[in-house]
Each structure stands twice: as C-alpha cells, then as structure tokens.
Amino acid sequence: MEKNVMETVKALKGRSLMEPFDFSVDELEALFCLGDDIIDNPQKYAHICDNKILATLFYEPSTRTRLSFETAMCRLGGKVIGFADPKASSVSKGETIGDTARIISGYADIIAMRHFVEGAPKAAAMASSVPVINAGDGGHQHPTQTLADLMTIHRLKGSFDNLTIGMCGDLKYGRTVHSLLKAMSRYNNVKFVFIAPDELKMPQDLIDELGESISWTETKSMEEAMPQLDVLYMTRVQQERFDDKEQYERLKDSYILDKAKMALAKEDMMVLHPLPRVNEIEFDVDEDPRALYFDQAIYGMYVRMALIVALLGLTPGELTWEKTRRLPLAIHPEAKEVACTNPKCVTNNDRAVKALARPTEDGHWACEYCDTVMK
Ligand code: CP
C-alpha cells in the first residue's frame, strides 16, 4: 500500500465508528485500499490480531453483521467473545449499557454492538476504554453496512462519483439507507431517486440535515425510476420497526423486483440489498449478473477486517500486547441537557444516560445520541 494511505489508516487508531460521517472521505478511501490489500494478500494479515479479542454484543438478531465481524476477527488471527441473545447476559437483570461496556472493555480489545435502542452504541462508546463499532442501532444508523455497500461499489464500479442511486422500499425506518445517503452525499455529482410509498418516505429531517449536498427526486413508481439508475438499493419493509401491524401488512408488498423490471434497467446497473430479504427481490433475479447482493455480504467481511485492523492501529508483522485506548468521541462543544423526544432514544431507555443535544444551524436542538431534531 502507498505510504500516504498507510498514514491515513494509522490516524484511525483508537477511534470508534458510530456513523459514516465519523470518517472523512480520505479515511474511507484509505480503508477501502486496506480492504483491497487484505483481499489480494490475505496471508499478510492472517496473524495481525493473534493476541486480540473482539466482543460482539448483539441485542437484536443478525446473521451477516455478527458472523462477518466474527469471521473477520478469526481470519485476522484474533479471538471472539460476546452474546447474540441479551437474555443470556446480565442485561436481563437490569445492567445498564454503560456498565456492560465498561466491564467488557476490560476484557476485549474492540467491541461491536447492535442494539434496538437508538444511540445505544454511542452510550457504550462513552463508557468503554476500547474502540466501539456501531453494528446497527434501531432505525438510526448502520455504518458498517455502509462500508460494505461502498466497498462493493469501490470494487465493481471503481468510483463513487457521477452515480444515480435508487433507494427503494422502507426509507423511513431503514437505517442502511440513512447511513448510505449520508456517506454518498460527500461524492461528486451523485443523484438519488427515492422510491417509497408515502408512509415510508425518506425522513425530512435527514434530507434537511444534508441540505444542498444532495440532489434528489422521489417517485412511487419503480418502473419510472429503473432506466435512470446506476445502482438500485433495495430494502426490506421491516416488520419489527412498525408499531401499527395493520400498516405493515398493507405496505409489505409495495415493491417487488422481478425480471420484467430488471429488463428496464441499464446493462451495468448494480442491484444491492443489505439483506435479509423477504419477498422484495424475486429469487430468479439472483441469476442476473447485475444482482450483487451476495457479493456485497462478502465485501462486508473484508471491509470489517480492514476496520478492525485500522481501529486497533495494527501493522502487518508487528505484534503488540498493548491495548488500544479509545479516543474521545466528537461531542458538540455547545451540547447541553435537552430532553430527546424520540421514545426509542437511548436517553429514554437507559437510566444512566443523560439527555444531551447540540444546537442546529436553524435554531433547534438535535440529540447527540439518535440525531432526532427537537422542534
Ligand atoms: N445487513 C444486515 O445487517 O444483516 P443482518 O441483520 O443479518 O446482520
């Protein structure tokens, strides 16, 4: 790898990852170059984590994220501890997120946490002595899925500029599309087409936050959008995010990608999906060379390998027993105690986490944990 890429990767040592904006465009690029090097030279990295331990704390179900993190650590030579069922941990006795993180950071070198409460990984990171990675928090963010998405585009398209990206399905509760939108907003001449029913539209707060950095249109018609797209990002309508089950039943079949719709698309369009799918992509679309969602899950493992190496500040051939200390998280200097109005926010679900909000440019307050804007 080039020297300047190595230097940029080294600057990630000790950092935590809560959302895509935590890393600059250059830092992401360096991470993808490290991912390329791991794919091309796996033997160089096979023992880089020989004496390191990853803790995976999963309070919500997962196949890809948890197992790709665990496989990533195993392929780097490290070991894994953790739980996939919080009922088997002392959380079930009422232990707070902060106490759990404080204890586990005494055991492990790095933590990946998935939680149904929005902002929970940030609360964990504030208490942890080692780097923490947000592996998905409620409907809020899923930054390592975004790394998987970007790594796939990086490998298969070679550039993030000048793309038209269709996001289809549940854009309201879909944390993967929120993270991807933020990440892609920083590249040149990227256009977004939001394809969703009225009830599942992209949140206006997020669109407002990104302002003029994004160029977007919206439609309810997949057929209308298909011919324009370079990337189609399909999402599942997530039953677990709906309080109103009747609404879920009404919306769950809103968009189904089939061969007829694929026939309307460009020959080199990429179909991505964070998976799992239910019925939003018909099985016979899998045979189409443009269906890249299974490759995306593999690239997700490689980019998580790169992330672990970078956050631990490791260099091939140099083993260290020293623990990588977590660096402070970015908190707005004018943040103050303002109650969050989001019932799913960690400040309303964990007795040890105090409300904390930053001022927004238009005179409101935004929660430092879940980004809800109080109006
Ligand atoms: N894409 C994704 O987050 O999948 P899992 O829920 O299986 O981890």
Side-chain angles (χ1 to χ4, degrees):
M1 277 196 308
E2 287 173 25
K3 196 161 168 271
N4 61 337
V5 171
M6 283 301 297
E7 292 305 314
T8 310
V9 167
K10 278 188 184 162
L12 295 172
K13 179 178 180 179
R15 304 255 292 269
S16 294
L17 177 63
M18 296 294 115
E19 61 138 315
F21 275 13
D22 289 345
F23 293 173
S24 69
V25 169
D26 286 347
E27 287 166 346
L28 287 178
E29 189 58 36
L31 203 60
F32 303 138
C33 288
L34 177 59
D36 288 337
D37 202 42
I38 292 171
I39 292 171
D40 296 340
N41 305 288
Q43 74 292 347
K44 205 167 117 186
Y45 296 88
H47 294 287
I48 195 167
C49 286
D50 267 0
N51 54 358
K52 301 293 179 194
I53 296 173
L54 164 73
T56 52
L57 313 184
F58 275 61
Y59 294 74
E60 253 195 350
S62 167
T63 296
R64 275 146 295 273
T65 310
R66 184 171 68 83
L67 295 178
S68 69
F69 261 119
E70 295 186 356
T71 310
M73 194 50 150
C74 293
R75 287 189 182 278
L76 296 167
K79 297 184 176 61
V80 179
I81 61 170
F83 53 79
D85 178 3
K87 289 201 275 308
S89 77
S90 286
V91 169
S92 61
K93 301 175 205 161
E95 188 162 45
T96 64
I97 291 164
D99 282 357
T100 305
R102 192 166 290 124
I103 294 298
I104 291 171
S105 66
Y107 305 152
D109 296 279
I110 188 163
I111 295 172
M113 174 184 275
R114 168 169 291 188
H115 208 295
F116 50 89
V117 166
E118 299 177 8
K122 192 159 185 175
M126 285 181 170
S128 167
S129 58
V130 301
V132 175
I133 301 166
N134 177 2
D137 59 335
H140 183 219
Q141 295 284 339
H142 192 351
T144 65
Q145 179 61 51
T146 305
L147 295 184
D149 304 340
L150 296 185
M151 185 76 195
T152 310
I153 297 171
H154 161 84
R155 293 288 293 187
L156 303 178
K157 287 260 185 233
S159 164
F160 300 112
D161 294 334
N162 306 313
L163 296 176
T164 299
I165 302 181
M167 295 180 167
C168 179
D170 177 1
L171 308 188
K172 180 179 179 184
Y173 301 112
R175 59 193 175 195
T176 58
V177 282
H178 300 164
S179 290
L180 183 62
L181 177 64
K182 285 184 107 167
M184 289 300 299
S185 71
R186 299 191 293 185
Y187 296 100
N188 297 320
N189 192 32
V190 177
K191 298 187 180 75
F192 299 94
V193 183
F194 302 141
I195 311 160
D198 283 337
E199 296 88 337
L200 298 177
K201 280 164 74 162
M202 188 62 81
Q204 194 58 46
D205 281 349
L206 181 55
I207 293 175
D208 291 345
E209 182 191 330
L210 296 172
E212 293 188 357
S213 67
I214 54 169
S215 161
W216 60 279
T217 55
E218 59 188 355
T219 175
K220 293 192 185 65
S221 164
M222 261 188 112
E223 286 82 352
E224 183 189 305
M226 288 302 274
Q228 316 165 42
L229 306 179
D230 300 302
V231 178
L232 171 63
Y233 198 91
M234 291 295 295
T235 62
R236 172 175 66 96
V237 177
Q238 304 168 93
Q239 184 170 10
E240 66 274 25
R241 306 272 177 244
F242 282 78
D243 295 326
D244 178 350
K245 296 301 168 204
E246 184 276 326
Q247 188 185 48
Y248 167 73
E249 287 300 323
R250 190 161 38 79
L251 296 174
K252 68 182 168 60
D253 298 328
S254 296
Y255 299 104
I256 296 178
L257 181 62
D258 56 17
K259 280 186 158 179
K261 293 193 186 83
M262 287 299 286
L264 304 172
K266 291 181 185 173
E267 277 182 16
D268 62 348
M269 186 190 76
M270 299 170 73
V271 184
L272 301 182
H273 189 311
L275 303 176
R277 74 171 145 188
V278 182
N279 63 344
E280 61 280 2
I281 301 179
E282 289 197 347
F283 293 117
D284 58 7
V285 174
D286 298 354
E287 297 155 16
D288 192 307
R290 295 170 292 183
L292 292 161
Y293 25 91
F294 294 114
D295 304 71
Q296 185 184 353
I298 304 298
Y299 288 127
M301 178 191 71
Y302 285 115
V303 80
R304 288 180 177 107
M305 290 171 80
L307 183 66
I308 291 169
V309 170
L311 298 187
L312 291 179
L314 303 175
T315 310
E318 279 180 33
L319 283 183
T320 168
W321 285 95
E322 204 176 297
K323 259 189 146 180
T324 304
R325 306 290 302 177
R326 174 183 67 80
L327 295 172
L329 297 187
I331 300 291
H332 195 288
E334 291 165 40
K336 66 173 195 177
E337 195 172 331
V338 176
C340 181
T341 53
N342 174 9
K344 293 177 179 166
C345 176
V346 68
T347 59
N348 294 317
N349 289 276
D350 186 300
R351 65 190 184 282
V353 184
K354 283 203 168 63
L356 191 64
R358 60 180 179 274
T360 65
E361 281 179 9
D362 53 355
H364 299 290
W365 290 92
C367 178
E368 279 281 22
Y369 290 93
C370 72
D371 298 310
T372 296
V373 178
M374 271 68 79
K375 289 184 173 164

